[in-house]
Amino acid sequence: MGVRNPGASKRKRGAAAAASTSRKSSTTLIQGSPKHEDPGLDVSDLEGQLLKSRQYYNNISTLLEYMRLSEENQTRNHEAVLALCRIFSRLMAGGSMTAPPQKDKNESIIVGWLKGKYQEYRGILLDSLSNRTHKEQSTSLTILMQLFKEEHSGPKSNEELTWKKGTFPSIVQAVSNSTTGDRIQEIFIGYVKRFSDIKFYTFQAFTFISAKKNTKKLDGIISMLIAVNGVECSEERIEPLHINPPKRENNVYSQASQRRAAQDAWMAVLRCRLTYMQRKNLLRAMPHRIAPVFIKPELLMDFLTDSFEVAGSVSLMALSGLFHLMQEKNLDYPQFYPKLYSLIDSQVLHSKHRSGFFRLLETFLASTHLPATLVASFIKRLSRLCLGAPPSAIVVVVPWLYNLFKIHPSCTVMIHRNRNKADRTTEIATVECNDFFRMDEHDPMLTRAMECSLWEIETLQSHYHPNVAAIATIISEQFTKQAYNAEDFLDHTYASMLDTELAQTMRKTPVIEYEIPKRVFVANGGEAAQSQNIVAQIWGFGA
């Protein structure tokens, strides 16, 4: 056995005691500071003591306790919040929260304790941005932005690190996660409108938050990004948040840098696993808010083509975004019209999104440079679908076809076709009864629609509904009207058509039967007359 060294034991006990003292001082109180147990001290007294001497630093803990007891005394809570803002602002401005250059152990412990209390204070304010009243949220956001400004103006603050890892990203995330409405977001947008650097680093913060791919938090991020995207940055009127502004060449002033930051933020969102409603909201904002800020709009092609596969109204909105890129950004997408043609199926005329579909379809087919063969396929397919469509849909399609004929007069040969008398042989007459249109063909250039006639529209002129039969006759008459206003027909429903009929004034008393007939579907007569009636042969009707 060896001999125990008493000096070594004393050194170990001294080191353990010092470590215990260090832990206690960094988590609770600074050694040597008086602990106030008098509950009668108000907020102003505690603040005044602390600003006079460092020995009252423990008053910060008392003020933090006042903040937590908001339900018991809201007035004192509000006063404590403001007092701590003034205290920490003065401490940061004086360099009291910066580690000393010399290796002073006691001073380092005090600075570490102050930073811990500051983090605690900042955490309480950030929590209040998510689930408090509008007044408390507004106060907390104003204080947090002021504290961030003080952090940024410190004697040795790192600009890039302060924006990316300091208070600011936490503010952006807390505002986007707010569950109490859009009021707090509107206040934050006010800072974005005023300060160019806040807008720039807000985009960067959204890029970092979206990279985590948390679907539940994307709703707030999308709404905030759409709002921030709508803010125009003017280098003449927008000022930086810095106390010591950088040179004008700094990237936060550059319009190209602003757009690049916005593009990166949107791409981070589009790469996430989006819900149906999130994808819908993005597509709705695509032409006016998202696509214009992209430096490389071709980056949106993958998202739009993937959205087309979702089906339903999302597919149509995706095509609207693609059409915007083709029209405004000169992007080439050869499959646009085949994909649009594939959306015209038996369900489109029964859909609740029918009016929106025809509004976009009118825009897509408005160009006079489209091939007549392609336009004829759309005309023929919609005419065929009208045979099984409700009356409220037919009264939309027929005027829409009329307008399309006026834009593309080369397609009017489909309305009526006559063959030469010399060619009317038996074989040709047999072929004449057939329709060459290929309803199952996916390519609108290969449907042979230009070789067909619109017999479907003539069939609709015998429709059971008088309004449909009347409006179908406009295709057979002279095209003297310049165009029909599609908006007059798009919102028709069964209810609106019935209300129109009931609202009409009866000019003439209708003729009615004065004698009740014995039979409705078969003629009156003996058994011999009924035996020759094909209806009576198929079905049996009682007398």
Side-chain angles (χ1 to χ4, degrees):
M1 293 181 61
V3 179
R4 178 178 295 179
N5 188 349
S9 300
K10 289 182 180 180
R11 285 195 297 271
K12 289 181 181 179
R13 286 195 296 270
S20 176
T21 302
S22 175
R23 285 193 299 269
K24 184 177 180 181
S25 63
S26 62
T27 56
T28 56
L29 300 173
I30 301 177
Q31 299 300 311
S33 297
K35 183 178 180 180
H36 292 287
E37 299 177 355
D38 183 4
L41 289 175
D42 59 12
V43 173
S44 60
D45 294 337
L46 294 172
E47 181 184 3
Q49 291 177 350
L50 195 148
L51 295 177
K52 288 180 181 178
S53 175
R54 296 178 59 182
Q55 67 176 340
Y56 293 101
Y57 274 175
N58 287 312
N59 290 1
I60 295 177
S61 299
T62 306
L63 292 172
L64 288 172
E65 289 298 324
Y66 288 173
M67 284 185 62
R68 294 189 183 92
L69 302 176
S70 57
E71 297 181 358
E72 298 179 6
N73 193 331
Q74 294 185 357
T75 303
R76 189 172 66 175
N77 167 269
H78 185 68
E79 293 175 353
V81 170
L82 296 178
L84 284 171
C85 176
R86 291 189 292 267
I87 290 169
F88 283 116
S89 296
R90 182 170 294 188
L91 290 175
M92 284 187 284
S96 300
M97 294 182 63
T98 306
Q102 299 83 9
K103 294 183 179 180
D104 189 339
K105 184 177 180 180
N106 292 332
E107 193 67 23
S108 299
I109 292 174
I110 294 175
V111 170
W113 185 87
L114 288 174
K115 287 183 177 180
K117 292 302 177 183
Y118 175 69
Q119 296 294 333
E120 189 177 344
Y121 172 61
R122 191 181 67 174
I124 296 174
L125 293 176
L126 290 171
D127 290 339
S128 67
L129 292 179
S130 302
N131 50 15
R132 295 293 181 88
T133 63
H134 171 63
K135 182 178 180 181
E136 292 176 322
Q137 287 180 327
S138 177
T139 302
S140 298
L141 180 58
T142 304
I143 291 175
L144 283 168
M145 295 302 290
Q146 178 62 31
L147 291 174
F148 171 65
K149 185 175 181 179
E150 295 296 337
E151 290 179 12
H152 201 287
S153 60
K156 294 184 178 181
S157 64
N158 186 314
E159 177 184 345
E160 198 72 16
L161 189 63
T162 304
W163 282 102
K164 292 185 176 181
K165 296 184 180 295
T167 303
F168 186 73
S170 302
I171 296 174
V172 175
Q173 185 164 3
V175 172
S176 62
N177 294 341
S178 177
T179 58
T180 57
D182 300 331
R183 299 289 298 276
I184 189 64
Q185 295 182 5
E186 292 177 3
I187 299 174
F188 183 80
I189 296 301
Y191 286 96
V192 174
K193 291 180 179 179
R194 184 179 176 188
F195 302 111
S196 58
D197 45 7
I198 287 185
K199 180 178 181 180
F200 178 83
Y201 287 106
T202 296
F203 284 130
Q204 289 199 347
F206 281 136
T207 304
F208 175 75
I209 297 170
S210 302
K212 298 179 181 179
K213 298 185 178 182
N214 190 336
T215 306
K216 295 181 180 179
K217 296 181 179 180
L218 277 180
D219 290 322
I221 294 175
I222 291 173
S223 63
M224 286 261 310
L225 262 177
I226 292 174
V228 173
N229 240 30
V231 177
E232 296 183 359
C233 279
S234 173
E235 298 184 13
E236 288 75 17
R237 68 175 181 82
I238 294 185
E239 58 190 39
L241 182 65
H242 316 292
I243 292 179
N244 298 315
K247 296 180 180 180
R248 300 296 289 182
E249 296 84 23
N250 191 284
N251 58 0
V252 300
Y253 294 101
S254 169
Q255 293 294 320
S257 297
Q258 294 273 356
R259 291 183 61 188
R260 191 176 297 107
Q263 176 178 280
D264 293 342
W266 279 119
M267 288 304 300
V269 171
L270 298 180
R271 293 190 187 102
C272 296
R273 191 185 296 266
L274 301 169
T275 63
Y276 182 82
M277 289 307 300
Q278 289 170 351
R279 190 176 292 271
K280 240 182 140 175
N281 292 335
L282 287 170
L283 290 171
R284 192 177 292 114
M286 183 66 65
H288 307 293
R289 292 294 180 89
I290 302 178
V293 303
F294 267 63
I295 299 175
K296 297 180 178 179
E298 59 271 14
L299 294 176
L300 294 170
M301 297 291 286
D302 289 339
F303 170 74
L304 292 172
T305 51
D306 290 344
S307 298
F308 179 83
E309 305 299 332
V310 176
S313 60
V314 173
S315 298
L316 187 61
M317 296 172 73
L319 284 181
S320 179
L322 286 169
F323 186 77
H324 174 80
L325 295 179
M326 292 166 56
Q327 195 174 37
E328 302 295 332
K329 306 296 182 180
N330 296 322
L331 290 182
D332 186 25
Y333 189 65
Q335 292 300 312
F336 177 80
Y337 284 100
K339 286 183 178 295
L340 177 62
Y341 186 73
S342 67
L343 293 180
I344 305 177
D345 54 15
S346 58
Q347 302 297 323
V348 69
L349 297 182
H350 299 265
S351 172
K352 64 180 181 180
H353 306 291
R354 181 180 61 220
S355 59
F357 176 81
F358 276 96
R359 286 188 182 96
L360 291 174
L361 198 60
E362 186 176 22
T363 303
F364 297 156
L365 298 176
S367 175
T368 57
H369 299 288
L370 293 176
T373 304
L374 183 143
V375 178
S377 296
F378 283 89
I379 293 174
K380 182 66 175 178
R381 189 175 184 86
L382 282 169
S383 301
R384 181 68 60 84
L385 292 175
C386 280
L387 296 177
S392 56
I394 300 174
V395 297
V396 175
V397 174
V398 176
W400 185 85
L401 292 178
Y402 181 96
N403 294 343
L404 207 57
F405 279 126
K406 296 290 289 186
I407 299 173
H408 305 277
S410 57
C411 294
T412 54
V413 296
M414 301 173 62
I415 296 177
H416 186 67
R417 285 185 186 276
N418 279 329
R419 292 184 180 273
N420 297 328
K421 293 183 179 180
D423 296 336
R424 287 186 177 276
T425 61
T426 306
E427 183 181 358
I428 293 179
T430 304
V431 176
E432 211 172 46
C433 298
N434 297 328
D435 195 330
F436 297 110
F437 180 62
R438 299 173 180 174
M439 190 70 176
D440 298 330
E441 176 61 52
H442 299 294
D443 190 348
M445 299 297 292
L446 303 176
T447 60
R448 300 181 66 182
M450 285 292 287
E451 304 175 29
C452 306
S453 64
L454 295 182
W455 58 265
E456 297 90 349
I457 302 299
E458 186 173 354
T459 303
L460 293 177
Q461 294 174 4
S462 303
H463 198 274
Y464 73 89
H465 198 289
N467 289 353
V468 174
I471 202 169
T473 59
I474 66 175
I475 301 297
S476 301
E477 298 173 352
Q478 293 291 329
F479 280 34
T480 56
K481 189 177 180 64
Q482 184 64 28
Y484 284 91
N485 185 7
E487 294 297 329
D488 296 339
F489 305 94
L490 287 176
D491 296 324
H492 272 306
T493 60
Y494 274 119
S496 63
M497 296 179 73
L498 179 61
D499 292 340
T500 303
E501 290 294 327
L502 294 176
Q504 289 182 356
T505 304
M506 188 179 297
R507 298 180 180 179
K508 184 179 179 180
T509 304
V511 179
I512 60 175
E513 291 280 356
Y514 65 92
E515 184 178 339
I516 300 176
K518 293 182 180 180
R519 294 180 175 84
V520 178
F521 294 100
V522 295
N524 293 331
E527 294 182 359
Q530 295 188 28
S531 63
Q532 297 178 1
N533 193 313
I534 188 171
V535 177
Q537 294 176 13
I538 298 175
W539 292 285
F541 300 96

